[in-house]
Amino acid sequence: MADINLSRITKSFGDYRAVNQVSLDIHDGEFVALLGPSGCGKTTLLRLLAGFEEPDQGVIALGGQAVADPANGVMINPEARNLGIVFQSYALWPHMSVARNVGYPLEVRGLGRAERDAKIAEALSIVALEPYADRSPTELSGGQRQRVALARCLVMEPRAVLLDEPLANLDVHLRETMQQAFLDFHRRTGATMIYVTHDQAEAMAMADRIAVMDKGRIRQVAAPETLYREPADHMVAGFVGAGAVLPIGDVSMRGTGRCSVRLGEAAIHARICHKAANNSDGQDLGLCLRPEDVWVDEAGTLRGSVEDCVYLGGRFRLQVRVDSDQILPVYATRRARIGETVGLVISDGWVFDRSEGEAA
Amino acid sequence: MQAASRLRGFMPGFASPTVGNRSLDRLLPWLLLPVFVISILPIARLAIEGVFVGGVPSADYIRDVLGSSTTWRATANSLYTAGLGTIISLLIGGAFAFLVALTDIRAKAVLVFCFMIPMMIPPQITALAWVQLTGPSSALLNALGMAPPMGSPQPFYSAEGIALLLGIQHASIVFLTLRANLRMLPREQIEAARLAGARGGRLWWQIILPLTSPGLIAGTAMAFVTALGNFGIPAMLGIPANYSTLPTLIYQKLAGFGPSVLGEVSVLAMLIGTIAILGVAVHHRLLGKRDYRLMGMVGRPLDIRLGARRTLVEAVLWTVLIAILVIPLMALVATALVPAFGVKLSLANYSFDAFYEVLFVQPSTIRAFHNSFMLSVGAAVTLVAVCLPLAYVIVRRPTRLTHMVNLLVEVPYALPGVVLAIACILLFIRIPVIDVSLYGTLAIIFVAYLARFLVIALRPVMNSFSQLDPALEEAAQACGAGLGRRLRDILLPLAAPSAAAGALLVFLTAFNELTVSALLWSAGNETLGVLIFNLDDSGDTVLASAVAVLVVLVVIALMSCFQLASRRLPKGVVPWQT
């Protein structure tokens, strides 16, 4: 029905390729996050989808119908796409009341007063803002404004809700509350949601699938846990999660998808991706270690010196230098002195192909 | 709630998506056409007049005019008075803007209001007031027994006199643009500089001045171009001293020789137009290189503490205001009250005869008030209606064409009013296809006003569109609102304050306008500016002063109404309001 299909989308601004040959299929009702560092093209991709930008190449289809297809001269205006969008700046109209802001899509569609009021009330109740209906948006807090913007999307019953870094202007405490609000909204309405963010924690907490973008390309699309445990390449491994990516050379296979890697004096048992497993010469392989898979243990054969120790509340995060140029983040239960030598035990790791080739 | 299925609701209009909005999109650029016609056609017509002699292309006029020493003397005079005047504007307006916007001086609202009055008072009245203030026949000085002896020269009948009054007249232009810029200056940027150790002069020279340079440049350019085209002041002060600037030279040639010199005059007009356009081009070029987008919280007023020097600074500011505003106006009032010109005014012999004469005896005064009122209201309303969509096209759909139009609309305003007036005569004396003449009607003045004041109405609206977060419009677009709806529901209300400000400026400027109407008026179609000029020119100085006093009262009354209403008006409607 309202599947969204992007097929080989390219968009340049002058010489700069903001979006480069991106293909992505989003299923009906799915919550997909577009994650990447600033300038990676995620917002441009969202704006292409919304219709504010026209792609140079490629096809964008909503529910099987092409809405942008430059090769065939198709470009449907944003106002005819029926996509809701939530902006970072909220984009509430200061000259209208909260209720009129929310009801504006219905006003445009020429709905009757009574029907409109009923839908506005319903939408405001979903975002828990009924008492604010007659206020001016300027009187609301940031979180409340964003909920008004969400309610405005809700009343129009869109094919999908696009969110462009909606939490970037909110403080940390409010972010968690708002994340929950977005999730509740998603569960109650079943709307397809596409969420642009540079904050991996946000993406991980909410999305069914995350598309990691870099330099105009999608590097990997996967469920958050897959992304975290099995990053497809160097960029994803470094960008997602607090972990270390170490270059390695010496890998011996231990059955399907398992291998053993030498790191200093230690042999580490790790999972290995299909592509890396077939990389017979063992060149350009990388080992991704997550801090929760590394323990401080005096019995550990891998020795390193503590470079840094930060208290995170309940546990410490150490930066431990092993070898001369490799630093591992490690969670520990006790404080460590800077310069102290500790033993490490590594329980798991992920070996992937570091070469900047075609990403998954 | 079956929300999931609800959300996938069928959208009407989706199947035939683009027709309605796209066609409106395509219609919008056609809006540029009337603008083009009204801004450029008269000027083009004028240019043709200069290069055709008897219907044959010829450089005769150009050779004659450029070969004449009178031309170059007037050009030098124009540049000298406008240049010196701009420096004076910059000093006065700049000092006021910085002090009002950045420091903790008291009574800012009153100060600003008073400072705006010179701009709103027509230049010929300013000139009249200063002439009445100084010189041997000054009613005020005579009443005080301080007048110089009879036969001593009038000090304002000189280049420096013209420059000083031009400077005072246009100081508010620098003030307004600079203060608008200063108000966008976030407190944090000054505070960061102070924390970095900058203080005193360093703070001013290295942080505040560079950050406000866009406003300074824009204000300077506008003051210069306006001074260059000013007719009222050099006409009232320069003609008696036989000191010509380009606008007065053009006026004198036309007044002396009639339509036979239109060719020569059009060359002169092009000369002054070229200088004005050069000024505007330099301004755009300088501004184009700067992108000082100011980040941070805007709206928190910055209050640099002046400490012990505050009282002194305030005293200086008020003294300047009294000198440039109060005293000349007092002189004007004094002249209006003398029983006959040259008679010494005293408490025993003052009379309101002049006011009675202009208000109840001479029908031309009432008629002129009526004409000027209709013209300025009509121009303000029409221009705002045109400028809202026009500003949208220029700001949101920039193309090579809109870029050109953006520059072209400056032309009729930057060009001296005399030039525009001649251009309008040439074009409308007989409109080609329909064979109708507008000459000798109010309509020709109206059309000329539309051309001349378009840019005044356009700029505030453009500014407000370019400051609007594009997301506000995009959000409406995503809600399904087409272009027409977005203009009506979102952009119009949000731009309304600036549109109103533009309309107000157009009204006040047009109400007192002399330069354009000086050549376009006809019996029964006088404007206020023309009336005062003619009265003074024919020696009825007392009557001229009486009308001038009435005009000043009307202007101040109107400004006060806006001031009083400003609390209820949206922010930004009243241009001088903080």
Side-chain angles (χ1 to χ4, degrees):
Chain A
M1 275 284 278
D3 285 1
I4 296 171
N5 309 93
L6 307 176
S7 157
R8 307 189 77 79
I9 300 293
T10 296
K11 173 74 184 172
S12 303
F13 297 106
D15 293 337
Y16 175 65
R17 277 211 167 174
V19 171
N20 194 353
Q21 297 280 337
V22 164
S23 299
L24 180 63
D25 295 314
I26 296 164
H27 309 300
D28 187 29
E30 207 178 9
F31 194 137
V32 172
L34 299 177
L35 174 69
S38 63
C40 70
K42 56 192 189 299
T43 294
T44 307
L45 192 60
L46 196 77
R47 292 177 61 80
L48 284 163
L49 198 50
F52 298 130
E53 308 285 353
E54 191 170 355
D56 301 331
Q57 288 164 36
V59 181
I60 301 174
L62 296 181
Q65 183 184 8
V67 292
D69 182 3
N72 292 311
V74 176
M75 176 62 192
I76 290 178
N77 279 353
E79 50 265 43
R81 290 192 186 188
N82 195 28
L83 294 168
I85 182 156
V86 173
F87 293 90
Q88 182 179 342
S89 58
Y90 322 124
L92 298 180
W93 303 300
H95 59 292
M96 298 183 183
S97 69
V98 166
R100 180 134 187 253
N101 262 285
V102 172
Y104 187 70
L106 308 175
E107 204 181 311
V108 170
R109 270 155 223 189
L111 255 70
R113 180 97 225 168
E115 200 181 345
R116 218 156 71 199
D117 287 347
K119 290 200 173 195
I120 293 169
E122 190 185 341
L124 281 176
S125 86
I126 288 182
V127 296
L129 281 176
E130 302 114 303
Y132 298 91
D134 297 322
R135 299 275 190 92
S136 155
T138 50
E139 295 169 38
L140 305 187
S141 71
Q144 288 169 331
R145 288 185 201 187
Q146 206 52 291
R147 274 158 37 209
V148 175
L150 204 53
R152 181 172 63 190
C153 287
L154 179 61
V155 294
M156 59 188 279
E157 303 176 12
R159 297 159 165 254
V161 179
L162 313 179
L163 304 105
D164 187 5
E165 308 227 16
L167 302 183
N169 283 347
L170 302 180
D171 65 46
V172 180
H173 295 293
L174 208 49
R175 274 189 211 178
E176 270 183 38
T177 323
M178 282 304 296
Q179 279 183 17
Q180 199 54 51
F182 287 145
L183 277 178
D184 289 346
F185 176 88
H186 183 231
R187 282 177 198 137
R188 286 183 75 164
T189 62
T192 309
M193 291 175 82
I194 300 165
Y195 190 105
V196 161
T197 180
H198 64 271
D199 181 337
Q200 48 161 312
E202 231 170 81
M204 298 254 189
M206 288 187 281
D208 298 325
R209 282 194 302 157
I210 298 175
V212 180
M213 289 189 71
D214 187 40
K215 295 178 186 134
R217 290 177 180 275
I218 290 187
R219 313 297 314 192
Q220 187 174 9
V221 186
E225 54 274 25
T226 312
L227 209 61
Y228 188 80
R229 301 303 299 172
E230 298 171 2
D233 65 13
H234 196 235
M235 184 266 155
V236 178
F239 188 75
V240 176
V245 178
L246 310 175
I248 45 163
D250 195 1
V251 176
S252 35
M253 295 300 295
R254 294 275 187 277
T256 326
R258 307 288 305 177
C259 67
S260 175
V261 182
R262 281 214 75 77
L263 188 66
E265 296 300 307
I268 298 163
H269 292 280
R271 294 161 290 118
I272 184 165
C273 81
H274 186 67
K275 190 172 161 218
N278 293 340
N279 182 341
S280 49
D281 59 2
Q283 289 296 303
D284 283 331
L285 293 185
L287 171 67
C288 175
L289 293 173
R290 300 297 183 191
E292 58 272 20
D293 295 330
V294 186
W295 315 87
V296 176
D297 187 337
E298 283 316 307
T301 45
L302 186 62
R303 311 294 293 181
S305 71
V306 177
E307 294 258 308
D308 192 17
C309 172
V310 177
Y311 186 53
L312 298 178
R315 60 184 174 177
F316 295 86
R317 192 186 60 221
L318 312 182
Q319 302 286 350
V320 180
R321 182 179 292 275
V322 296
D323 286 353
S324 55
D325 58 345
Q326 295 176 346
I327 293 185
L328 297 186
V330 180
Y331 289 139
T333 51
R334 64 167 189 88
R335 191 177 285 278
R337 270 182 302 108
I338 309 291
E340 181 182 343
T341 303
V342 292
L344 300 176
V345 172
I346 297 173
S347 63
D348 192 19
W350 166 252
V351 175
F352 62 93
D353 196 318
R354 293 175 67 228
S355 57
E356 295 267 323
E358 282 300 304
Chain B
M1 183 172 68
Q2 287 299 311
S5 59
R6 229 187 58 181
L7 280 165
R8 288 181 223 115
F10 168 73
M11 270 330 301
F14 193 77
S16 57
T18 56
V19 184
N21 302 310
R22 285 270 144 155
S23 66
L24 187 54
D25 260 10
R26 284 202 203 94
L27 276 179
L28 266 181
W30 288 101
L31 193 66
L32 302 174
L33 192 69
V35 174
F36 205 77
V37 167
I38 214 167
S39 302
I40 294 315
L41 222 52
I43 309 294
R45 176 70 187 78
L46 180 71
I48 289 172
E49 190 72 15
V51 293
F52 283 88
V53 178
V56 185
S58 153
D60 285 359
Y61 288 139
I62 297 178
R63 203 173 48 233
D64 287 353
V65 171
L66 296 188
S68 152
S69 63
T70 325
T71 306
W72 296 110
R73 203 171 330 116
T75 308
N77 289 348
S78 273
L79 288 175
Y80 178 71
T81 51
L84 192 61
T86 304
I87 293 171
I88 295 169
S89 297
L90 200 56
L91 290 176
I92 305 178
F96 267 76
F98 279 119
L99 289 169
V100 166
L102 298 183
T103 69
D104 60 347
I105 55 166
R106 286 161 292 188
K108 283 181 187 174
V110 189
L111 201 67
V112 171
F113 182 80
C114 292
F115 192 69
M116 291 313 296
I117 296 177
M119 183 170 96
M120 301 302 175
I121 292 177
Q124 69 277 15
I125 294 184
T126 310
L128 186 62
W130 283 84
V131 170
Q132 293 315 310
L133 172 64
T134 55
S137 52
S138 162
L140 185 69
L141 295 187
N142 273 315
L144 299 172
M146 289 163 57
M150 277 298 165
S152 55
Q154 163 59 259
F156 275 91
Y157 288 161
S158 66
E160 288 71 27
I162 295 173
L164 178 65
L165 293 201
L166 287 175
I168 291 171
Q169 183 83 30
H170 303 135
S172 338
I173 296 179
V174 177
F175 175 82
L176 277 184
T177 44
L178 189 56
R179 196 175 67 134
N181 197 184
L182 286 168
R183 270 178 17 202
M184 309 299 275
L185 192 70
R187 199 184 185 126
E188 287 93 331
Q189 297 193 333
I190 310 280
E191 285 169 348
R194 292 174 90 167
L195 288 176
R199 71 182 74 199
R202 183 184 286 271
L203 185 65
W204 286 95
W205 284 110
Q206 295 186 340
I207 305 296
I208 297 177
L209 223 53
L211 283 177
T212 52
S213 55
L216 270 176
I217 292 168
T220 310
M222 274 170 68
F224 177 75
V225 169
T226 318
L228 192 71
N230 191 300
F231 171 71
I233 290 172
M236 303 279 275
L237 301 182
I239 292 176
N242 215 1
Y243 182 88
S244 293
T245 62
L246 284 174
T248 55
L249 181 68
I250 291 171
Y251 173 80
Q252 281 175 308
K253 273 190 189 276
L254 267 179
F257 303 98
S260 61
V261 291
L262 271 174
E264 270 179 61
V265 156
S266 84
V267 176
L268 280 174
M270 282 187 277
L271 179 64
I272 189 168
T274 311
I275 301 175
I277 287 171
L278 278 178
V280 173
V282 167
H283 153 221
H284 276 273
R285 207 181 158 75
L286 283 176
L287 276 191
K289 286 187 191 154
R290 279 155 212 271
D291 185 10
Y292 293 158
R293 257 270 183 107
L294 300 171
M295 307 292 285
M297 282 291 288
V298 168
R300 284 198 292 153
L302 192 81
D303 286 321
I304 297 176
R305 288 183 195 289
L306 293 175
R309 277 170 293 178
R310 183 165 77 169
T311 316
L312 179 71
V313 169
E314 285 170 352
V316 170
L317 289 183
W318 281 106
T319 311
V320 171
L321 259 186
I322 289 170
I324 65 174
L325 177 66
V326 180
I327 295 177
L329 287 183
M330 277 169 61
L332 194 66
V333 173
T335 306
L337 291 177
V338 293
F341 195 54
V343 174
K344 187 176 168 180
L345 182 69
S346 72
L347 281 178
N349 71 350
Y350 72 90
S351 98
F352 289 100
D353 286 355
F355 290 98
Y356 181 79
E357 174 83 11
V358 297
L359 278 182
F360 301 109
V361 180
Q362 294 196 352
S364 58
T365 322
I366 298 297
R367 207 166 53 219
F369 264 99
H370 181 253
N371 285 343
S372 281
F373 189 79
M374 297 308 287
L375 282 170
S376 40
V377 168
V381 171
T382 314
L383 284 178
V384 163
V386 173
C387 282
L388 281 164
L390 182 65
Y392 179 82
V393 174
I394 295 177
V395 173
R396 289 286 154 86
R397 307 280 159 85
T399 59
R400 205 177 288 253
L401 188 68
T402 62
H403 190 71
M404 198 169 72
V405 165
N406 187 24
L407 281 176
L408 288 181
V409 292
E410 301 258 9
V411 173
Y413 186 66
L415 282 178
V418 197
V419 178
L420 183 67
I422 298 166
C424 283
I425 295 175
L426 287 170
L427 189 66
F428 297 120
I429 200 159
R430 202 179 61 84
I431 298 174
V433 184
I434 49 175
D435 202 23
V436 175
S437 175
L438 293 184
Y439 190 63
T441 66
L442 268 187
I444 193 168
I445 305 183
F446 183 68
V447 173
Y449 280 6
L450 290 186
R452 185 149 175 83
F453 302 131
L454 175 66
V455 72
I456 299 187
L458 183 65
R459 290 293 174 245
V461 183
M462 275 181 65
N463 272 343
S464 99
F465 278 153
S466 53
Q467 279 165 17
L468 276 186
D469 182 356
L472 288 174
E473 196 196 342
E474 287 170 354
Q477 216 173 348
C479 287
L483 182 59
R485 262 216 99 113
R486 296 200 303 273
L487 275 172
R488 199 189 75 200
D489 293 347
I490 310 298
L491 296 164
L492 194 89
L494 291 174
S498 358
L504 177 62
L505 274 180
V506 169
F507 176 81
L508 276 170
T509 323
F511 190 61
N512 296 309
E513 195 281 333
L514 163 67
T515 328
V516 173
S517 45
L519 290 176
L520 295 182
W521 71 283
S522 49
N525 293 321
E526 309 90 342
T527 63
L528 276 176
V530 169
L531 184 75
I532 295 170
F533 184 69
N534 286 351
L535 283 175
D536 185 63
D537 204 35
S538 58
D540 289 326
T541 309
V542 179
L543 292 185
S545 300
V547 178
V549 169
L550 291 174
V551 170
V552 170
L553 288 179
V554 169
V555 168
I556 294 183
L558 277 176
M559 286 175 70
S560 306
C561 288
F562 281 115
Q563 181 82 18
L564 290 178
S566 65
R567 235 160 276 171
R568 289 185 201 165
L569 292 172
K571 216 178 156 165
V573 174
V574 186
W576 56 86
Q577 194 72 10
T578 314

